[in-house]
Amino acid sequence: TKAHGGEFKAVYAYPAEDYEWWGRQLGENLEPGRFGENLTTAGLSATGAVIGERWRVGSAVLEVTQPREPCWKLGVRMEDADFPRRFREAGRPGAYFSVHTAGTVTAGDAIEIVHIPPHPITIALINRLNATDRELSKRLQLLCRQNLSPAEWKELLASAIR
């Protein structure tokens, strides 16, 4: 569960719009699930999602936890050993979720954003930091779980800039 599954990687979502982008890059039509996700979304940006954001899918509520870090298995699935690097560099990682409230999810269920935390830490930011400063990435992800107020986030981020 360190690399796959576990509390903070219970569900992996990948956007249909990013599949379309990859399809143009690779010159092929990629079917949903090709990247190993449990949930293929449409109309929502997993990359723009805020850590701690909650999505209601069916009767379940899922909480955004982190971007995907592709491993060699994705290269095997794509029949390209270099694909994990390309996937990482593309900045379209999809998002992992923890299960906030268990429920039933079926194909075609609407997805509703039901909570957005008061901080600016997105999947895209953590994805970029994972490539440049993993320690800062880990610290920010831990801070996102602290339920800081908007004023506390503003003060924290302002002090980091000084």
Side-chain angles (χ1 to χ4, degrees):
T1 58
K2 182 179 178 186
H4 301 97
E7 178 184 357
F8 298 110
K9 296 181 183 178
V11 175
Y12 175 51
Y14 202 77
E17 294 83 359
D18 287 350
Y19 267 116
E20 292 171 11
W21 184 87
W22 277 112
R24 290 189 300 275
Q25 299 303 305
L26 301 172
E28 64 178 286
N29 187 19
L30 301 174
E31 70 283 353
R34 181 85 177 264
F35 293 151
E37 75 277 7
N38 314 86
L39 186 63
T40 306
T41 64
L44 289 172
S45 172
T47 305
V50 174
I51 303 295
E53 188 171 299
R54 293 187 191 136
W55 296 6
R56 182 183 328 279
V57 186
S59 61
V61 177
L62 308 175
E63 186 169 308
V64 175
T65 58
Q66 64 191 66
R68 177 185 189 169
E69 279 288 313
C71 70
W72 62 271
K73 290 181 181 180
L74 182 60
V76 170
R77 184 160 179 91
M78 298 302 292
E79 300 177 355
D80 177 359
D82 194 45
F83 193 79
R85 180 194 59 77
R86 291 178 64 195
F87 186 87
R88 190 176 300 108
E89 290 174 356
R92 297 167 181 272
Y96 276 115
F97 293 78
S98 62
V99 177
H100 182 268
T101 306
T104 302
V105 177
T106 57
D109 281 346
I111 300 175
E112 173 189 8
I113 298 172
V114 295
H115 171 74
I116 300 176
H119 63 75
I121 312 303
T122 63
I123 289 293
L125 176 60
I126 296 301
N127 187 61
R128 281 194 305 275
L129 286 173
N130 282 342
T132 59
D133 191 338
R134 281 198 180 277
E135 189 58 36
L136 179 56
S137 172
K138 288 177 187 177
R139 288 180 183 179
L140 283 175
Q141 288 178 77
L142 286 172
L143 280 170
C144 289
R145 296 188 189 108
Q146 301 305 311
N147 295 319
L148 300 176
S149 72
E152 290 170 315
W153 272 106
K154 185 175 181 179
E155 182 180 329
L156 177 73
L157 295 172
S159 69
I161 294 171
R162 288 186 217 139

